């Protein structure tokens, strides 16, 4: 077999060894550890921000693929970009290296119809022609009577996603006529109408399963049964781009209560994000990683969300020194039940709490100092408006830059505590998995670190003794060390988390409690 073209047997498939000398650049890239359920469009999307993708060979049985870029220069840019930022497909890290092959010859190979259809669809979108791919593939053709309206659900919503962000992303695939956003089943959803079903088809193909921000805000896209949307108001929840004369409907709340509670007052989240610690606030699309992108020359031009559309702060694991205040003022607490430790545990769900001070003269107020401004913003967005011990907690940024510890001999009644060396911090390790599991308060809690001897009844009783009503419980099928427990209300769940996170279950196991995005 000649070494310049790759045919079916793919001899890049020997086990990859770290000590192998680096290969010389090639426009053909070898991708390893690809999840078995990944689509052709998702693999192509890794290369899209860097230039035209000219060919693709998927070796699904070996969890590998070969991607051919139009130029060696594009391939080099892509490898250089993904070397410090490992890309992810379906939350799995994917490894990219240059192939020994100089081009892909796939004409005579079986099962290439899907790959060719995906490539044609992408090049049509890029050239703006949107000609239908002729390949016989269920993904590559628009079905007769298919709706121009997409239903979009955003999962892992750690940062607010605005109507503007959706408009900017989906406009890459055609003219967006109308968007309506709403909250249903505790999920942020949108209906989006294109001028033509073909546009909706390509947008769904390219964007379904992608992340808007790094490791969060995942798009789940389906065709709606509706064929047209009726928009009454142009505001931050709904917009008809064909009718600028519509009223704003000022009587309407701009965010539905569950969203307002999750993200604080709308004013808090409308300031454009200015970029953190050297990371540009651009979001590459349709890039499977959704990483915030350092300057890749000319790479993300047509597929980038501008910073003005990105409201909400992007938390970058390990990035510190972000300008802004890391101290929160928390008000309307229940002075009889709140403790510094309780605030440490609760606010610790959204960042590492360094110090807590309950005000000596006004015990319903407290200061909470987070590790950085990013975490303070995240905690404020998720906790302000939640009920705790019968009162609605309010959190805002404090004018104080730090929480002062009491001087020696100063009367404090134990109301000021320093937690900076606590072993209970969830986010100490840069890139910790916990960064991907930050969810708004919910009635369902995720329990982990459960020893084998502890039964369902013992765990249920633990929560009942803490004053909760247990509605449902289930162990994870694959891993009995984890379980979900559904309580009577979000308030009960918040109080149970404060009381039972780090509870000693015996056998040297301390229970870990987090809010869950799932219900039972």
């Amino acid at each position: 077999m000649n070494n310049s073209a790759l045919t079916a047997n793919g001899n890049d498939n020997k086990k990859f060894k770290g000590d192998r000398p680096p290969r010389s650049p090639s426009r053909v890239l070898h991708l390893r550890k690809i999840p078995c359920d990944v689509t052709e469009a998702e693999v192509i999307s890794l290369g899209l921000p860097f230039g035209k993708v000219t060919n693709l060979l998927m070796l699904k049985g070996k969890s590998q693929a070969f991607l051919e870029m139009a130029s060696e220069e594009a391939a080099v840019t892509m490898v250089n970009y993904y070397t410090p930022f490992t890309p992810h497909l379906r939350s799995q890290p994917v490894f990219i290296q240059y192939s020994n092959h100089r081009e892909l010859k796939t004409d005579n190979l079986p099962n290439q119809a899907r790959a060719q259809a995906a490539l044609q669809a992408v090049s049509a979108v890029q050239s703006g022609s949107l000609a239908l791919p002729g390949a016989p593939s269920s993904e590559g053709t628009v079905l007769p009577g298919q709706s121009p309206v997409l239903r979009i659900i955003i999962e892992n919503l750690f940062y607010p996603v605005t109507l503007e962000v959706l408009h900017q992303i989906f406009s890459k695939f055609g003219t967006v006529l109308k968007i309506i956003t709403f909250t249903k089943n505790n999920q942020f959803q949108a209906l989006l109408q294109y001028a033509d079903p073909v546009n909706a088809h390509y947008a769904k193909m390219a964007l379904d399963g992608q992340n808007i921000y790094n490791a969060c805000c995942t798009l789940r896209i389906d065709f709606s049964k509706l064929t047209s949307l009726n928009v009454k108001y142009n505001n931050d929840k709904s917009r008809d781009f064909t009718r600028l004369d519509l009223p704003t409907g000022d009587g309407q709340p701009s965010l539905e209560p569950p969203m307002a509670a999750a993200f604080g007052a709308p004013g808090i989240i409308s300031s454009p994000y200015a970029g953190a610690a050297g990371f540009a606030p651009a979001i590459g699309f349709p890039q499977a990683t959704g990483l915030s992108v350092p300057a890749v020359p000319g790479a993300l031009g047509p597929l980038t969300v501008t910073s003005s559309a990105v409201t909400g702060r992007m938390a970058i694991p390990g990035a510190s020194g972000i300008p802004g205040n890391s101290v929160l003022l928390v008000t309307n607490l229940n002075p009889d039940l709140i403790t510094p430790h309780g605030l440490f545990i609760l606010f610790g769900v959204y960042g590492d709490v360094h110090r807590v001070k309950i005000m000596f003269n006004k015990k319903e107020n407290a200061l909470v100092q987070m590790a950085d401004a990013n975490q303070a913003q995240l905690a404020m967005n998720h906790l302000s408006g939640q009920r705790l011990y019968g009162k609605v907690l309010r959190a805002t940024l404090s004018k104080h830059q730090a929480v002062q510890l009491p001087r020696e001999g100063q009367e404090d009644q134990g109301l000021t505590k320093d937690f900076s060396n606590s072993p209970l911090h969830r986010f100490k390790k840069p890139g910790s998995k916990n960064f991907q599991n930050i969810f708004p308060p919910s009635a369902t809690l995720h329990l982990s670190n459960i020893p084998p001897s502890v039964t369902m009844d013992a765990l249920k009783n633990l929560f009942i003794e803490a004053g909760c009503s247990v509605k449902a419980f289930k162990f994870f099928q694959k891993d009995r060390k984890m379980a979900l427990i559904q309580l009577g209300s979000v308030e009960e769940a918040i109080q149970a988390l404060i009381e039972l996170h780090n509870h000693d279950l015996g056998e040297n196991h301390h229970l870990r409690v987090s809010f869950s995005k799932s219900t039972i």
Side-chain angles (χ1 to χ4, degrees), residues 10 58 144 174 181 224 261 301 305 323 450 477 481 519:
M58 302 276 276
T181 64
S224 170
V305 177
I450 303 166
Q477 245 172 334
K481 293 198 287 289
T519 51

Side-chain angles (χ1 to χ4, degrees), residues 147-168:
S147 170
V149 178
L150 295 175
R151 186 184 62 132
I152 302 154
I153 294 176
I154 300 181
E155 295 178 349
N156 305 340
L157 187 70
F158 309 163
Y159 308 105
V161 171
T162 62
L163 188 143
E164 280 78 14
V165 167
L166 291 175
H167 183 250
Q168 195 156 1

